[in-house]
Amino acid sequence: MSVCLLASLCCKKDAEGAFDTELKKLVEASVKEPGCVAYELYQYKDDPVNYVIKEEWNNEDSLSAHMETPHYKYFVHISPVLLDKPAKVKILTRLV
């Protein structure tokens, strides 16, 4: 079964443009990775500093490989400057 990851992120109010740009770069590179089933970015309609990333990977190995890519490591490196608080990440296993 595939593995899903849900990440909730809240950027600083003065960092919205830069955060949006960096998230879109991350998504663009991630969807091209082997093992990526889906990599979707959402923004709260009523609170534009809040985002959700929904990822789906073929398996845990694919997710682990993603976390070793240069684009993922770059985003993790720069995100503390842009985030209002640490991201909340949950890993889920598809049951059906």
Side-chain angles (χ1 to χ4, degrees):
M1 288 290 174
S2 63
V3 176
C4 290
L5 183 145
L6 290 176
S8 298
L9 306 111
C10 180
C11 74
K12 295 177 181 174
K13 291 212 181 267
D14 61 343
E16 296 158 339
F19 192 66
D20 190 73
T21 298
E22 294 302 331
L23 277 173
K24 288 176 181 173
K25 286 185 205 175
L26 175 66
V27 172
E28 185 178 306
S30 298
V31 297
K32 296 175 184 174
E33 291 179 48
C36 181
V37 176
Y39 206 101
E40 301 170 345
L41 174 62
Y42 299 91
Q43 186 176 36
Y44 285 33
K45 187 175 183 176
D46 61 346
D47 193 2
V49 297
N50 284 290
Y51 297 80
V52 173
I53 297 174
K54 179 182 173 255
E55 306 173 27
E56 185 175 359
W57 298 91
N58 283 335
N59 50 45
E60 287 191 31
D61 289 341
S62 298
L63 176 57
S64 294
H66 164 65
M67 292 179 175
E68 294 300 319
T69 61
H71 55 271
Y72 177 82
K73 287 183 174 186
Y74 174 76
F75 183 79
V76 169
H77 176 73
I78 64 156
S79 64
V81 175
L82 302 171
L83 288 172
D84 187 43
K85 55 189 169 194
K88 292 182 184 178
V89 178
K90 298 290 182 187
I91 297 178
L92 310 168
T93 301
R94 182 184 291 271
L95 298 178
V96 180

